[in-house]
Amino acid sequence: MKEKHNTREVILQTATRLFQRQGYNGTGLNQIIEESGAPKGSIYYHFPNGKEEIAIEAISMMRKLVLEGAEKDLTGKDSAAEAFEYYLNNVAAIFDLKSCIDGLSIGLIASETAFTHEQLRYSCEMVFKDLQSQHAQILMQYGFDREQAEELGITITAMIEGACILSITYQDGNPLRRIAKQLSLLLKRSQETQGEKQNGNE
Amino acid sequence: MKEKHNTREVILQTATRLFQRQGYNGTGLNQIIEESGAPKGSIYYHFPNGKEEIAIEAISMMRKLVLEGAEKDLTGKDSAAEAFEYYLNNVAAIFDLKSCIDGLSIGLIASETAFTHEQLRYSCEMVFKDLQSQHAQILMQYGFDREQAEELGITITAMIEGACILSITYQDGNPLRRIAKQLSLLLKRSQETQGEKQNGNE
DNA sequence: CATACTCTAGACCGGTTGGTATAATTTTGG
DNA sequence: CCAAAATTATACCAACCGGTCTAGAGTATG
């Protein structure tokens, strides 16, 4: 069975893309079927619990895409400030191309389902927590202490999410680029202040 | 006609609330009708162009609510840092109550319609720009120079939007409170750096 | 080859969607 | 009071929604 699971993967990839672009409520199964080329029977064969099950797996795929994309851009730089600025500028470049926005943001599906689909809300919460952790880990690798890294982790997660929404709305990478600079400054200053605090203790 | 325009206002208020809570695609006209008590005929009488027209007016109402709510909290404080921290803590308190989230955020309707409803996207872009301007104006009132105020304006807009999404997803005001503190620090440091730059020039 | 299992394919279903049409009711102003 | 205008009320519509069902095609194995 050379193509085993291929239909399932195609459905999932199409759904992931469409859910990120239009949201859960704005994406119908028929659109997923058309754009993936998968037969309707296969949707329920592979995802017996229906649309919600597809969405939960799509959120999982978004998580993987976002974490991997960020990891790739955030490591191997001279400082946290440089790393996060580089990452956000890469995300901005994707918006400029107006191309596929997979793996950039989960804010849409998170906020639209928060009051109406508890399982999806919970899945998104877990992804956001993973993103916060990733950011905090990266900051610690660049020398931040744990407490500050954690507070900055959640702040960075929010900033990136908010910046993506602005760029999506403006259909332009410019908001992300401007916010990348401010995030860079924020990180530089935070690290300087941490340095002073450590010197002060000695 | 003592109640002139009352039906129209009730429809609009209900729609504004529901669009903010569930988004545009997640809110059907029948739900607006039920929850507002308005007759279906009146929907098309008052909003002849249908759902999109309601949404455009709802976005306008959201704009008013957000701008007024922020104005009320952001003025009359000792510093920008204190003002924005106070504002975000008030927003957080609303999330803690799990009550009506009107006038807190437009990120959901903005992102879900960005690729599919150009008029709504445009309306949301204008609201975000107004929010940025408001934030920049407030910062200038507290002593920031124009250029820095504008860069911080867009950054604050993104941070608030992102923080609201996290709080919506976590169903908890805590993300907002934590980010309020980081925003306060960011503003303090930005103002100190601006002070040094001015001293350096003299 | 036969059999069992996996997977596809697409018809079908009841319910919901946004919108239309028009009669009935209410309001307004002379 | 009455006519005209404003507004309500509700039946109706085609299209779309997520989900069910079942025949049949494809694959693996003995």
Side-chain angles (χ1 to χ4, degrees), chain B residues 8-202:
Chain B
R8 193 179 194 282
E9 281 306 306
V10 169
I11 291 167
L12 200 46
Q13 280 172 14
T14 304
T16 300
R17 176 168 57 81
L18 291 173
F19 286 149
Q20 283 195 289
R21 191 179 168 87
Q22 301 162 191
Y24 179 77
N25 293 309
T27 300
L29 291 185
N30 285 336
Q31 190 180 2
I32 294 171
I33 286 157
E34 266 182 44
E35 300 203 13
S36 66
K40 188 154 190 189
S42 293
I43 295 256
Y44 289 93
Y45 177 76
H46 291 292
F47 303 94
N49 295 308
K51 192 178 183 182
E52 268 206 8
E53 187 178 345
I54 299 175
I56 286 167
E57 302 234 359
I59 289 164
S60 191
M61 187 175 258
M62 291 177 208
R63 174 187 170 279
K64 184 164 177 287
L65 291 169
V66 178
L67 287 175
E68 285 175 359
E71 182 80 22
K72 196 180 45 142
D73 282 354
L74 289 173
T75 48
K77 299 294 183 294
D78 287 338
S79 68
E82 185 192 335
F84 280 99
E85 190 173 1
Y86 177 72
Y87 172 50
L88 283 205
N89 280 319
N90 277 353
V91 176
I94 293 167
F95 277 99
D96 287 332
L97 294 178
K98 296 183 174 60
S99 63
C100 183
I101 63 168
D102 288 22
L104 299 183
S105 160
I106 68 160
L108 171 49
I109 196 168
S111 49
E112 74 174 317
T113 58
F115 293 102
T116 53
H117 298 75
E118 174 56 26
Q119 287 197 324
L120 300 187
R121 182 205 68 76
Y122 180 76
S123 293
C124 290
E125 181 179 348
M126 292 301 112
V127 174
F128 276 134
K129 285 184 172 168
D130 286 344
L131 291 184
Q132 281 170 236
S133 294
Q134 184 193 43
H135 295 148
Q137 285 295 324
I138 298 285
L139 291 175
M140 283 189 277
Q141 281 167 28
Y142 284 112
F144 284 81
D145 70 43
R146 173 174 293 277
E147 187 187 340
Q148 191 162 22
E150 284 176 358
E151 293 314 298
L152 286 170
I154 192 173
T155 304
I156 292 167
T157 302
M159 280 176 82
I160 294 175
E161 221 30 72
C164 286
I165 287 172
L166 290 185
S167 280
I168 287 167
T169 306
Y170 295 13
Q171 304 210 329
D172 181 341
N174 196 47
L176 270 155
R177 266 188 292 278
R178 290 167 73 184
I179 289 156
K181 276 201 167 24
Q182 296 300 312
L183 176 55
S184 181
L185 287 177
L186 180 156
L187 290 177
K188 277 179 193 154
R189 290 179 189 144
S190 297
Q191 203 154 24
E192 285 164 3
T193 303
Q194 181 177 305
E196 289 168 10
K197 204 185 289 184
Q198 286 176 345
N199 291 342
N201 287 349
E202 294 175 6

Side-chain angles (χ1 to χ4, degrees), chain A residues 1-200:
Chain A
M1 187 120 106
K2 188 167 132 184
E3 304 289 337
K4 185 171 178 177
H5 295 314
N6 182 269
T7 302
R8 192 178 194 281
E9 281 306 307
V10 170
I11 291 166
L12 200 46
Q13 280 171 18
T14 304
T16 300
R17 177 168 57 82
L18 291 173
F19 286 148
Q20 284 196 285
R21 192 178 166 87
Q22 303 163 188
Y24 179 77
N25 294 309
T27 300
L29 290 185
N30 286 334
Q31 190 178 1
I32 295 172
I33 287 159
E34 266 183 43
E35 300 205 13
S36 66
K40 188 151 189 191
S42 294
I43 296 256
Y44 289 93
Y45 178 77
H46 291 292
F47 303 94
N49 296 308
K51 192 177 181 183
E52 270 207 7
E53 186 178 346
I54 299 175
I56 286 167
E57 301 234 0
I59 290 164
S60 191
M61 188 174 256
M62 291 177 207
R63 170 187 172 279
K64 183 165 176 288
L65 290 169
V66 177
L67 287 175
E68 285 176 358
E71 181 82 23
K72 193 180 46 143
D73 283 352
L74 289 173
T75 47
K77 300 294 184 295
D78 287 337
S79 69
E82 184 191 336
F84 279 99
E85 189 172 3
Y86 177 72
Y87 172 50
L88 284 204
N89 280 320
N90 276 353
V91 175
I94 294 169
F95 278 98
D96 287 333
L97 295 179
K98 298 182 171 62
S99 64
C100 184
I101 63 167
D102 288 21
L104 298 182
S105 161
I106 70 159
L108 172 49
I109 195 168
S111 49
E112 75 174 316
T113 58
F115 294 103
T116 52
H117 298 75
E118 174 58 25
Q119 286 198 324
L120 300 187
R121 183 206 68 76
Y122 180 76
S123 293
C124 290
E125 180 178 351
M126 292 301 111
V127 175
F128 276 133
K129 284 185 173 171
D130 286 343
L131 292 183
Q132 283 170 231
S133 292
Q134 184 194 44
H135 296 147
Q137 284 295 323
I138 297 285
L139 289 174
M140 282 189 278
Q141 281 169 27
Y142 285 112
F144 284 80
D145 69 44
R146 172 175 295 279
E147 187 186 342
Q148 190 162 21
E150 284 175 0
E151 293 312 299
L152 286 170
I154 192 172
T155 304
I156 291 167
T157 303
M159 281 175 83
I160 294 174
E161 221 30 71
C164 286
I165 287 173
L166 291 185
S167 280
I168 286 166
T169 306
Y170 294 15
Q171 302 207 334
D172 182 340
N174 196 46
L176 271 155
R177 268 188 292 278
R178 290 166 73 185
I179 289 156
K181 277 201 167 27
Q182 296 302 311
L183 176 55
S184 180
L185 288 176
L186 180 156
L187 291 177
K188 276 178 196 154
R189 291 179 189 143
S190 296
Q191 204 155 22
E192 285 163 6
T193 302
Q194 181 176 305
E196 290 168 10
K197 204 184 292 183
Q198 287 177 347
N199 291 342

